[in-house]
Amino acid sequence: MKRRKVILAAIALSMLGAMQGCEQKSDKIKIAIVVKNLGNGFFDAAHEGAKEAAKQIGNVEIIYTGPTTPSAEGQIEIINSLISQKVNAIAISANDAHALVPITKKAMQRGIKVISFDSGIAPEGRLMQLNPSNAELIGIKQLEMASNATGGKGEIAILSASAQATNQNIWINVMKKGLEKPEFAGLKLVATVYGDDQSDKSYREAIGLLRSNPNLKVIISPSTVGINAASKAVVDEKLVGKVFVTGLGLPSEMAGHVKSGAVKEFAIWNPIDLGYAATYIANEFIKGNPDAKAGGSFTIGRMGTIKIDANGDAAMAPPFTYNKENVEQFSKIF
């Protein structure tokens, strides 16, 4: 009888330990980073920043996910799954600003904090939008680089991601408006095409631009996939030195194109910092920080203070220029 009691006590203790383990596991904060598509080097770098922030905050689990191809439908399916998993927060780079609103509203109704970063969701579908930089600065920066490459004169074309990508369209509109300024009067926009953030399609669109516009001087691609594909197209068409590519790219993917001469300079913010900041901000909303709201400001680790404007938008920093002087150094980082 005594032996039976000892065995039952041991089993009870074992079950108690297992239950405590489950409770500890369920206490962990889950922050989902939902990207436009998996296999994208920019977002892989943002994931590294998210993991860094999670480690500093402590007790945070990062769920890094996204569709295999950049589509709103794929992201909606993923968010439905995250709602079932009862994550604490979702930080998303949206493939469509409006199509995602119903599902992100549903997530917020279930108590999940939703913020967007990089490419935003319409205001009614999120708590705040973290912009990597200021849209005006990004758009003008790309015109400046195009002007530098051509000596201020010549035909230019834009190779964007999808026609629905919020951030790309904002930057393109800034560029179109910027072309009305006297300093860009020598540049002429002859075409805007879309590669859907897919390497093969972006490459084909770039080839089309080069063959349809024999006087083309610059392809601007505000897409990390597009700028890489356009650079390869210029090399394959043996147009290095005649046509230049610029825009937003990753140093690790663009170093070879700078070396080949297809690219003189390009720009990007630091995606590691973007993922880091998005994770920190999501955690502040989870904690219920009273300043995590429109008009508020609070500290996000090594990034310092972030300010949210009255529309619920916040910006990090101006884009940084990469060229033959520094691209090798940064290509080892991201």
Side-chain angles (χ1 to χ4, degrees):
M1 186 65 182
K2 184 177 180 181
R3 175 181 168 77
R4 186 168 179 271
K5 287 182 178 179
V6 169
I7 292 173
L8 289 173
I11 292 173
L13 284 172
S14 175
M15 292 178 65
L16 179 61
M19 290 173 64
Q20 288 174 333
C22 290
E23 286 171 1
Q24 287 170 0
K25 187 176 181 181
S26 65
D27 286 343
K28 205 159 193 175
I29 294 169
K30 293 181 180 179
I31 298 177
I33 306 294
V34 182
V35 299
K36 287 182 178 176
N37 63 298
L38 296 177
N40 184 320
F42 177 85
F43 292 115
D44 288 344
H47 183 202
E48 292 302 314
K51 290 191 290 187
E52 178 191 351
K55 187 176 180 180
Q56 288 184 10
I57 296 167
N59 200 37
V60 171
E61 176 186 350
I62 297 296
I63 300 171
Y64 178 68
T65 183
T68 53
T69 57
S71 70
E73 292 77 11
Q75 290 186 318
I76 289 170
E77 187 176 338
I78 285 169
I79 294 171
N80 255 323
S81 172
L82 293 170
I83 292 172
S84 299
Q85 295 176 50
K86 298 181 179 178
V87 298
N88 300 94
I90 294 172
I92 183 170
S93 176
N95 282 316
D96 189 304
H98 301 287
L100 295 172
V101 168
I103 189 65
T104 53
K105 274 187 171 180
K106 178 182 175 183
M108 290 191 289
Q109 288 165 357
R110 303 291 175 88
I112 298 171
K113 308 300 181 186
V114 178
I115 68 167
S116 52
F117 72 101
D118 179 49
S119 184
I121 298 178
E124 61 269 28
R126 43 76 171 173
L127 296 170
M128 71 157 283
Q129 156 65 14
L130 174 64
N131 295 305
S133 183
N134 178 285
E136 178 74 16
L137 292 175
I138 295 170
I140 295 301
K141 179 72 177 180
Q142 292 180 90
L143 287 182
E144 289 174 346
M145 293 189 296
S147 182
N148 292 341
T150 65
K153 296 180 180 179
E155 294 183 357
I156 64 173
I158 296 172
L159 170 59
S160 185
S162 73
Q164 293 78 35
T166 316
N167 53 354
Q168 305 269 323
N169 290 335
I170 292 173
W171 301 333
I172 290 171
N173 286 335
V174 171
M175 281 190 265
K176 288 179 176 177
K177 191 173 180 181
L179 288 171
E180 298 172 2
K181 295 184 176 183
E183 59 265 41
F184 302 122
L187 300 178
K188 180 183 178 184
L189 178 63
V190 294
T192 300
V193 297
Y194 301 91
D196 290 341
D197 258 347
Q198 296 182 37
S199 296
D200 289 348
K201 186 176 181 187
S202 298
Y203 179 80
R204 291 195 301 272
E205 292 290 347
I207 291 288
L209 285 174
L210 294 170
R211 294 180 181 176
S212 303
N213 300 279
N215 296 319
L216 191 65
K217 296 297 183 186
V218 178
I219 296 177
I220 300 173
S221 183
S223 151
T224 58
V225 176
I227 190 174
N228 198 8
S231 301
K232 186 175 186 307
V234 166
V235 172
D236 290 350
E237 292 291 290
K238 303 187 187 310
L239 291 171
V240 172
K242 182 180 179 183
V243 180
F244 295 98
V245 178
T246 191
L248 306 178
L250 294 172
S252 59
E253 295 179 349
M254 297 305 296
H257 297 309
V258 173
K259 189 175 181 180
S260 77
V263 175
K264 285 186 175 179
E265 58 183 7
F266 63 98
I268 195 78
W269 41 90
N270 188 329
I272 297 173
D273 290 346
L274 189 60
Y276 176 93
T279 302
Y280 245 98
I281 291 168
N283 188 59
E284 292 301 312
F285 277 97
I286 294 169
K287 286 164 49 181
N289 184 334
D291 292 320
K293 62 181 181 181
S297 64
F298 49 88
T299 301
I300 50 173
R302 62 175 171 77
M303 298 302 294
T305 300
I306 191 88
K307 296 180 179 178
I308 307 176
D309 68 19
N311 296 319
D313 288 6
M316 285 179 53
F320 183 80
T321 304
Y322 302 88
N323 52 36
K324 64 180 181 182
E325 304 297 330
N326 60 21
V327 70
E328 287 291 344
Q329 174 192 348
F330 284 96
S331 68
K332 297 172 184 174
I333 301 173
F334 69 99

